[in-house]
Amino acid sequence: MIDAYFNDILKDINATIANYIKGDVKELYEASYYLFQAGGKRLRPLMLVASSDLVGGERRRAILAGSAVEVLHTFTLIHDDIMDQDTLRRGMPTVHVKYGVPMAILAGDLLHAKAFQILNDALSGMESNLITKAFRIFTDAILVISEGQALDMQFEDRKSISEGEYLDMINRKTAKLFSASTALGALIGKATDNVVKKLEDFGLLLGISFQIVDDILGLTANEEELGKPLYSDIREGKKTILVIKALEMASEEEKRIILQNLGNRNASKEELKQTADIIKKYSLNYAYELADKYYKQALDKLDSIEWKNELAGKALKYIAEFTVKRRK
């Protein structure tokens, strides 16, 4: 039943995106639509539509708003890949590798504008105060995501990052768009301010859990499962919770190995694997426990809301469980 629920949403989301991302400047629109064809989990639009359904919202508006969020998310992926010099995304060459950096930047810019266009259509005809609140949520998300990306990049040049700094960074870079999705869904469903806040908190806590698990998978999954080069986080010098914890607990020799290879784009596969093995030894269980803590807090927020649609509530719980239990 939940599979059918998700499939109905995904069908409408994908069709909506395809309808908006087209135009007569052929290569630009091909580059802009490229990543959508590579798959992706569509977690954010699923969460938005389910949040709207949960409070009795209008499905048509939620589908449009969910499409806007997915288009915005894809814009950030294209620009992230350029900044990180990643060559693979979802198992395919990244947009800048296939189309060149200038065209990839333009594709990201186009998607940024398209996201606002789609959201505007989603909100058309609603009360002016709700439209204002929705656009504030959307624009705040973009601002905060940009801050998070900047912090992530700055952390690469620092030897020491605290757990609090890491959590603040992923709160901005990843969790903010999760919370914007659930808040927008509730707002479109005309939920009370209290319910909007609880669903916003649910999305934020789940987004934190999602990113911690993503960081874990960067060390435990294989390249096919990741859809990007193995150990790319180590090569790029990402200060994940796993790296932070390992540097706290490792021996001096192990710390030397971690720091020598962290951010070293010339490190061999053997050196990267050795580094990953040291990091996992000290931090894997801790990271899983931390992700589980935020997952449970997210569920508490969801359970504190009165559900108008039981299937939508179960769907949100399913997404939450998937987020923390995806070990591949």
Side-chain angles (χ1 to χ4, degrees):
M1 187 178 294
I2 288 179
D3 285 346
Y5 176 79
F6 285 145
N7 287 337
D8 284 344
I9 296 171
L10 290 173
K11 179 183 173 184
D12 289 341
I13 292 286
N14 291 334
T16 300
I17 292 171
N19 185 54
Y20 274 90
I21 313 301
K22 60 184 180 183
D24 59 5
V25 185
K26 189 170 184 291
E27 188 176 7
L28 173 61
Y29 281 91
E30 281 183 0
S32 301
Y33 191 63
Y34 174 71
L35 276 186
F36 296 108
Q37 297 172 293
K41 296 177 281 293
R42 308 282 195 266
L43 286 181
R44 294 154 192 84
L46 286 172
M47 291 171 66
L48 191 154
V49 176
S51 295
S52 178
D53 286 350
L54 187 74
V55 299
E58 185 181 341
R59 175 64 73 88
R60 179 189 65 84
R61 291 189 187 279
I63 290 293
L64 282 166
S67 300
V69 165
E70 186 66 15
V71 168
L72 181 69
H73 173 58
T74 305
F75 144 69
T76 67
L77 298 182
I78 292 174
H79 282 196
D80 280 2
D81 287 341
I82 295 170
M83 287 182 277
D84 292 341
Q85 301 177 46
D86 281 339
T87 57
L88 287 176
R89 168 74 67 177
R90 297 171 180 169
M92 294 170 57
T94 48
V95 177
H96 69 275
V97 168
K98 185 170 178 63
Y99 293 95
V101 172
M103 188 60 72
I105 292 172
L106 282 173
D109 292 345
L110 184 140
L111 292 180
H112 185 268
K114 282 287 182 181
F116 278 94
Q117 181 187 44
I118 302 169
L119 182 64
N120 184 67
D121 289 348
L123 301 171
S124 179
M126 291 188 73
E127 295 91 333
S128 60
N129 67 313
L130 294 181
I131 294 173
T132 300
K133 286 180 180 179
F135 273 108
R136 185 178 297 122
I137 290 169
F138 203 66
T139 52
D140 282 354
I142 298 168
L143 293 170
V144 173
I145 291 166
S146 299
E147 293 167 356
Q149 177 66 13
L151 288 172
D152 194 22
M153 292 167 60
Q154 290 170 10
F155 287 0
E156 292 172 18
D157 298 325
R158 288 173 52 186
K159 286 187 177 180
S160 177
I161 301 295
S162 71
E163 182 174 319
E165 288 176 306
Y166 163 81
L167 290 170
D168 175 58
M169 183 271 291
I170 66 170
N171 187 310
R172 299 176 194 235
K173 182 182 175 182
T174 301
K176 185 63 178 180
L177 195 54
F178 277 71
S179 68
S181 299
T182 48
L184 280 170
L187 195 68
I188 285 171
K190 300 183 180 180
T192 64
D193 289 346
N194 181 50
V195 170
V196 172
K197 182 65 171 65
K198 286 182 176 180
L199 276 168
E200 181 181 22
D201 290 345
F202 164 74
L204 192 74
L205 292 162
L206 190 58
I208 294 171
S209 180
F210 176 90
Q211 185 58 58
I212 294 169
V213 174
D214 232 37
D215 291 342
I216 293 168
L217 294 175
L219 294 181
T220 60
N222 61 44
E223 194 164 294
E224 183 180 345
E225 292 163 342
L226 278 176
K228 62 181 182 179
L230 190 61
Y231 306 139
S232 61
D233 283 356
I234 296 175
R235 188 179 287 109
E236 292 163 13
K238 298 294 184 185
K239 300 298 192 301
T240 67
I241 187 62
L242 295 104
V243 170
I244 292 166
K245 201 65 183 174
L247 287 172
E248 285 179 8
M249 301 180 66
S251 68
E252 289 304 314
E253 173 61 17
E254 289 170 327
K255 286 179 186 176
R256 185 192 66 78
I257 293 170
I258 293 171
L259 293 173
Q260 175 181 294
N261 295 315
L262 195 65
N264 180 4
R265 292 184 177 273
N266 296 316
S268 67
K269 284 189 176 180
E270 291 74 20
E271 289 171 324
L272 291 171
K273 183 180 184 305
Q274 180 188 24
T275 305
D277 287 344
I278 293 170
I279 293 170
K280 286 188 290 185
K281 178 172 71 171
Y282 289 107
S283 64
L284 199 56
N285 287 338
Y286 182 81
Y288 273 126
E289 288 170 4
L290 191 62
D292 191 57
K293 182 183 86 169
Y294 283 100
Y295 156 74
K296 287 175 179 174
Q297 289 177 6
L299 287 188
D300 286 343
K301 292 290 182 181
L302 184 62
D303 287 336
S304 70
I305 299 166
E306 182 183 349
W307 299 358
K308 292 184 179 179
N309 183 317
E310 191 74 16
L311 184 56
K314 289 179 179 178
L316 287 169
K317 282 198 169 185
Y318 182 93
I319 291 170
E321 185 175 1
F322 164 79
T323 291
V324 296
K325 295 191 176 176
R326 54 194 178 110
R327 301 275 168 124
K328 295 183 179 180

